[in-house]
């Protein structure tokens, strides 16, 4: 399951790729090659920036989801939560404009609100799961409906739009960047690198895997099971807040159709990346690859008229299943 | 014995009160889909506004409004209205045609007045009154505007809605309208009447095509995403965008003479108001109120935009 096993099987078979580890990367490279072959603009700076920046929302959330799933949990509420946070953020920023004026002050308050609301939402999910001992699937299915209704109610069924002046100031957070790299990409990369370090090098990461693999054994090994679980949901909530901070400046609006199905995309990315849905093993870099695979499929289908647009969903489904089949086959052989 | 007599008397009393009430007051049930996207939000707003106005105007009319987030729930809503609210008329905007046809037919068979809005039922002649927008006209008016704006032809991209009959009718009529005009649709993709999806599709169109002269976004929510993608690519001067439906922000831009949004085409969510008003007239006047009422799709330009501007509506 580690890099060592790849190198130990490699010499005997000659050059053979261990799909369990490298499957997602191979799939990603194949998609990049296909894209470059189909359209010469595919590798252009503009297109690469577009794809990476739009992956950032799901990507940031999926990194948090990796921890939740690794510890044997699940969170279906993240898409609705993102929409709810975006709505609250926009309403508070609009409300502050008369007193604080248009400027970075308002936006910083908005960002803080996003993190705090994300923290609180994650805390509620986590407490219901760990303290009230309700299945994660049920708790987050419930909060998914609650957040989705709340945003519809806040927006009065329509769309909440950010004050035009604030929007102009806030806009560069999505569209500009540092040295030609857009901010969402920078934040996504930072979150992914930190996530990888936490998963591999810290007790928290190891505890997540231990709980997901066998909760009883983890408990007897003096792991604070409930506390670690709770922290995974809080971490995910905060990351949803960060994703929303990057999302709001893009279109400056939130409605009941914001973030629909983000939870499933995030979960799919985590599983494509090699994390086990039942928990016990997680890989943050794999999740990043999974997110990129999902957004590249959409991008390539738009750039090249390969199939009827009605079939886009089918192509995505086939690639998701293929990516996982490649990994699992290797595991079965063992 | 005593108890059952009491219960009998109570039931009789309720029945009396019920029939006395029914003689004076007519109850109109309104069943619509919940506000899950911008257009539906506007429709909900106009339904509430109309009901409020009518309740003030006519003392003998009562309204029951329910919003459903899926067809199953809408069927239950209608059954509840029949069982508990004793409605005299039903105004329904079906979530989907097929599943609602049976339940609405039973309402009709119970002798109620039935008004169907926008989405027709899958069997004909159930409803007394049919009020709907005109999707073919929506596509045709849009296509004719392109023809008028581009007399020498040009290259356009099209964003489509959620794959449905509504979307197919619009796109077919649009294609017929621009036939032979030299306008070439170089790309077409589903943006699902969603801002985020439209933004991403437009980004990809912009990477793919070096020359685009105009965009038929076919919906104002999608137009918002399209405009943002065009701004990002810094190609505002190369193309213009036609949305549709009549969102207030877009009408404002048309009114202000924004070059990139030269016009809009209506598909008014206020049609629910038309339907409720006409149904109310059935009970407050002796005018004939059955038949079909098709609301045309109109072109909004700078000259007439003011007429279509509802600043208070959420849409």
């Amino acid at each position: 399951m580690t890099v060592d096993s790849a190198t130990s099987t490699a010499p005997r078979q000659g050059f053979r790729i261990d799909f369990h580890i490298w499957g997602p990367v191979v799939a990603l490279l194949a998609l990049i090659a296909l894209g470059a072959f189909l359209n010469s603009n595919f590798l252009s700076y503009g297109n690469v920036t577009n794809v990476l920046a739009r992956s950032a929302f799901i990507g940031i959330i999926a990194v948090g989801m990796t921890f939740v799933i690794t510890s044997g949990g699940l969170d279906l509420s993240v898409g609705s939560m993102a929409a709810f946070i975006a709505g609250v953020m926009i309403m508070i920023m609009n409300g502050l404009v008369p007193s604080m004026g248009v400027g970075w002050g308002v936006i910083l308050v908005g960002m803080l609100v996003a993190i705090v609301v994300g923290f609180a939402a994650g805390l509620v999910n986590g407490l219901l799961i760990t303290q009230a001992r309700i299945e994660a699937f049920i708790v987050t299915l419930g909060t998914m409906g609650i957040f989705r209704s709340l945003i519809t109610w806040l927006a009065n069924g329509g769309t909440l739009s950010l004050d035009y002046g604030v929007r102009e100031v806030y806009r560069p957070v999505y569209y500009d960047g540092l040295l030609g790299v857009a901010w969402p990409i920078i934040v996504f990369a930072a979150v992914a690198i930190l996530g990888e370090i936490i998963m591999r090098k810290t007790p928290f990461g190891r505890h997540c895997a231990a709980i997901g693999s066998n909760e009883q054994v983890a408990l007897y090994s003096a792991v604070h099971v409930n506390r670690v679980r709770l922290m995974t949901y809080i971490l995910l909530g905060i990351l949803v807040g960060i994703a929303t901070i990057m999302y709001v400046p893009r279109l400056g609006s939130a409605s009941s159709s914001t973030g629909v199905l983000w939870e499933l995309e995030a979960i799919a990315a985590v599983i494509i990346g090699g994390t086990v849905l039942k928990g016990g093993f997680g890989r943050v870099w794999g999740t990043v690859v999974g997110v990129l695979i999902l957004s590249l499929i959409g991008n390539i289908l738009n750039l090249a008229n390969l199939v009827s647009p009605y079939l886009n969903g089918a192509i995505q489904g086939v690639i998701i299943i293929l990516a996982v089949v490649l990994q699992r086959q290797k595991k079965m052989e063992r | 014995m005593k108890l059952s007599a009491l219960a009998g008397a109570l039931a009789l009393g309720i029945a009396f009160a019920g029939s006395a009430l029914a003689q004076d007051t007519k109850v109109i049930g309104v069943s619509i889909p919940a506000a899950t996207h911008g257009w539906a939000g506007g429709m909900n707003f106009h339904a509430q506004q109309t009901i409020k106005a009518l309740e003030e105007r006519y003392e003998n009319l009562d309204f029951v409004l329910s919003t459903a987030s899926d067809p199953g729930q809408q069927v239950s809503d209608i059954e509840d209205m029949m069982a508990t609210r004793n409605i005299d008329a039903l105004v329904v905007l079906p979530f989907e045609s097929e599943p609602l046809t049976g339940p609405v037919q039973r309402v009709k068979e119970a002798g109620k007045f039935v008004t169907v809005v926008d989405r027709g039922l899958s069997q004909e002649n159930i409803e007394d009154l049919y009020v709907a927008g005109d999707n073919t006209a929506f596509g045709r008016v849009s296509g004719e505007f392109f023809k008028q704006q581009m007399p020498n032809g040009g290259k356009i991209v099209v964003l489509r809605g959620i794959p449905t009959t509504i979307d197919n009718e619009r796109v077919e009529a649009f294609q017929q309208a621009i036939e032979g005009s030299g306008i070439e649709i170089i790309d077409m993709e589903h943006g699902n009447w969603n801002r985020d999806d439209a933004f991403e599709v437009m980004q990809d169109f912009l990477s793919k095509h070096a020359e685009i002269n105009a965009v038929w976004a076919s919906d104002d929510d999608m137009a918002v995403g399209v405009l943002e993608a065009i701004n990002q690519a810094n190609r505002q001067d190369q193309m213009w965008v036609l949305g549709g439906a009549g969102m207030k922000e877009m009408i404002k831009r048309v009114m202000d003479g924004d070059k990139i949004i030269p016009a809009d085409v209506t598909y008014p969510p206020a049609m629910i108001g038309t339907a409720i008003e006409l149904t109310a007239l059935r009970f407050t006047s002796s005018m004939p109120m059955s038949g079909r009422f098709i609301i045309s799709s109109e072109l909004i330009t700078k000259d007439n935009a003011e007429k279509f501007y509802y600043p208070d509506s959420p849409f």
Side-chain angles (χ1 to χ4, degrees):
Chain A
M1 233 174 253
T2 58
V3 184
D4 299 318
S5 64
T7 44
S8 64
T9 52
R12 208 154 39 91
Q13 302 281 336
F15 184 73
R16 194 179 147 193
I17 297 164
D18 185 343
F19 275 114
H20 180 51
I21 293 172
W22 298 110
V25 178
V26 171
L28 181 66
L29 291 176
L31 274 174
I32 293 174
L34 179 71
F37 169 72
L38 288 169
N39 194 306
S40 55
N41 287 329
F42 177 75
L43 290 176
S44 69
Y45 167 76
N47 193 52
V48 171
T49 300
N50 284 347
V51 171
L52 290 176
R54 72 172 76 142
S55 310
F57 317 132
I58 303 280
I60 293 168
I61 293 172
V63 170
M65 190 68 85
T66 311
F67 286 90
V68 169
I69 291 182
T70 301
S71 61
L74 193 68
D75 192 337
L76 296 173
S77 70
V78 290
S80 306
M81 195 195 287
F84 174 66
I85 295 174
V88 172
M89 216 179 141
I90 289 174
M91 288 181 83
I92 287 184
M93 284 195 282
N94 286 350
L96 285 175
V97 167
S99 55
M100 290 178 70
V102 169
W104 279 102
V106 174
I107 292 166
L108 288 175
V109 174
M111 290 177 169
L112 191 69
V113 165
I115 306 260
V116 171
V117 177
F119 173 88
L123 184 70
V124 169
N125 276 342
L127 284 178
L128 284 170
I129 291 161
T130 56
Q131 302 304 316
R133 305 212 143 270
I134 310 171
E135 293 280 333
F137 186 92
I138 297 301
V139 168
T140 57
L141 190 67
T143 49
M144 170 170 93
I146 294 170
F147 291 134
R148 184 62 63 194
S149 297
L150 284 176
I151 175 67
T152 313
W153 178 68
L154 287 178
N156 197 10
T159 303
L160 289 166
S161 295
L162 187 58
D163 177 90
Y164 185 78
V166 179
R167 173 92 214 289
E168 287 303 299
V169 182
Y170 196 177
R171 211 173 167 271
V173 171
Y174 183 82
Y175 291 98
D176 284 2
L178 201 66
L179 304 171
V181 185
W183 286 115
I185 304 175
I186 296 172
V187 173
F188 178 23
V191 166
I193 291 168
L194 279 176
E196 178 70 23
I197 293 171
I198 291 172
M199 184 65 92
R200 291 199 165 213
K201 307 276 181 199
T202 66
F204 175 69
R206 287 193 292 275
H207 289 168
C208 284
I211 294 169
S213 147
N214 191 325
E215 194 177 332
Q216 289 304 319
V217 173
L219 201 61
Y220 297 142
S221 319
V223 174
H224 296 282
V225 171
N226 278 348
R227 199 165 72 194
V228 172
R229 276 239 164 101
L230 180 63
M231 277 170 71
T232 60
Y233 288 98
I234 293 176
L235 175 71
L236 178 54
I238 293 173
L239 287 173
V240 172
I242 293 174
T244 313
I245 290 174
M246 308 313 299
Y247 170 81
V248 168
R250 184 165 94 168
L251 295 174
S253 62
S255 71
S256 52
S257 62
T258 299
V260 171
L261 295 184
W262 280 11
E263 59 280 348
L264 292 188
E265 274 192 55
I267 294 169
V270 171
I271 304 307
I272 291 175
T275 298
V276 181
L277 185 56
K278 285 180 193 146
F281 175 71
R283 213 159 50 176
V284 172
W285 68 262
T287 299
V288 173
V289 173
V291 170
L292 295 180
I293 288 177
L294 284 180
S295 19
L296 274 183
I297 298 169
N299 180 245
I300 290 173
L301 290 173
N302 283 345
L303 284 180
N305 304 333
L306 277 184
V307 291
S308 153
Y310 294 138
L311 289 174
N312 282 7
I315 304 276
Q316 282 198 350
V318 167
I319 293 181
I320 292 172
I321 293 171
L322 268 184
V324 178
V325 163
L326 284 177
Q327 295 169 30
R328 296 297 145 90
Q329 264 179 347
K330 185 71 196 173
K331 210 173 171 189
M332 300 286 271
E333 284 167 22
R334 285 178 188 181
Chain B
M1 183 71 193
K2 217 173 175 182
L3 200 71
S4 69
L6 188 74
L10 206 67
L12 206 67
I14 289 169
F16 253 114
S19 65
L21 206 73
Q23 266 171 9
D24 304 329
T25 312
K26 297 287 183 191
V27 183
I28 298 178
V30 179
S31 169
I32 53 178
T36 47
H37 59 272
W39 189 87
M43 199 253 309
N44 275 259
F45 168 82
H46 286 287
Q48 285 165 12
Q49 291 279 308
T50 314
I51 288 174
K52 219 172 103 192
L54 286 172
E55 275 179 338
E56 277 170 23
R57 204 184 315 154
Y58 304 114
E59 275 182 4
N60 61 338
L61 282 188
D62 248 351
F63 290 89
V64 186
L65 173 69
S66 70
T67 61
S69 49
D70 62 75
Q73 197 192 338
Q74 194 172 23
V75 171
S76 315
D77 285 347
I78 294 173
E79 283 168 358
D80 288 350
M81 282 183 192
M82 289 289 286
T84 62
R85 303 299 297 264
N86 199 19
I87 53 169
D88 298 287
L90 173 70
V91 179
V92 56
L93 199 161
F95 215 104
E96 279 172 32
S97 304
E98 295 289 338
L100 266 301
T101 299
V104 174
Q105 187 165 18
R106 280 194 286 284
V107 175
K108 177 65 193 163
E109 280 162 3
K112 317 293 182 189
F113 186 86
V114 172
T115 304
V116 173
V117 190
D118 199 34
R119 254 154 273 178
L121 298 173
S122 56
Q123 286 198 13
E124 286 176 17
N125 300 326
I126 293 174
E127 69 273 3
D128 296 284
L129 175 63
Y130 179 58
V131 177
D134 190 344
N135 288 302
T136 309
F138 181 91
R140 194 187 57 236
V141 170
S142 305
E144 279 163 1
F145 182 74
F146 271 82
K147 228 160 108 176
Q148 179 209 325
Q149 291 291 104
M150 309 175 112
N152 304 320
K155 290 181 175 171
I156 67 167
V157 292
V158 172
L159 282 96
R160 306 185 57 159
I162 296 170
T164 46
T165 354
I166 298 175
D167 183 61
N168 290 345
E169 281 173 15
R170 290 177 175 184
V171 173
E172 274 165 30
F174 180 84
Q175 284 170 321
Q176 270 171 17
I178 61 167
E179 217 172 56
S181 63
I183 298 173
E184 187 199 350
I185 300 178
I186 52 174
D187 224 324
M188 196 145 71
E189 197 71 52
H190 289 275
N192 304 322
W193 292 317
N194 177 298
R195 293 180 181 200
D196 289 304
D197 290 358
F199 175 78
E200 293 179 5
V201 168
M202 192 62 205
Q203 277 190 329
D204 291 344
F205 281 169
L206 289 164
S207 326
K208 191 173 167 187
H209 305 290
E211 192 197 344
I212 301 172
N213 306 120
V215 184
W216 187 39
S218 79
D219 174 76
D220 287 337
D221 265 317
M222 290 204 281
V224 172
V226 165
L227 287 172
E228 207 52 67
I230 296 174
N231 282 346
Q232 184 198 17
N234 226 349
R235 285 164 70 173
Q236 301 94 315
D237 301 332
Q238 299 172 18
M239 63 193 88
W240 51 270
V241 179
L242 181 68
M247 183 197 283
K248 61 179 177 188
E249 288 87 358
M250 285 296 154
I251 295 182
K252 184 82 181 27
R253 292 181 76 155
V254 174
M255 213 153 77
D256 296 345
D258 196 328
K259 272 206 190 80
I260 200 163
I261 304 284
D264 203 348
V265 178
T266 61
Y267 194 82
M271 69 173 71
I272 189 73
T274 313
I276 300 172
E277 287 267 3
L278 290 176
T279 309
L281 277 179
R282 162 78 175 71
F283 294 101
T284 56
S285 76
S286 54
M287 285 179 265
M289 275 305 148
S290 49
R292 298 166 64 81
F293 191 103
I294 306 301
I295 297 163
S296 62
S297 279
E298 290 176 67
L299 185 70
I300 307 175
T301 57
K302 195 167 181 284
D303 305 323
N304 64 355
E306 213 162 331
K307 201 172 79 173
F308 298 95
Y309 188 52
Y310 301 101
D312 297 334
S313 162
F315 183 62

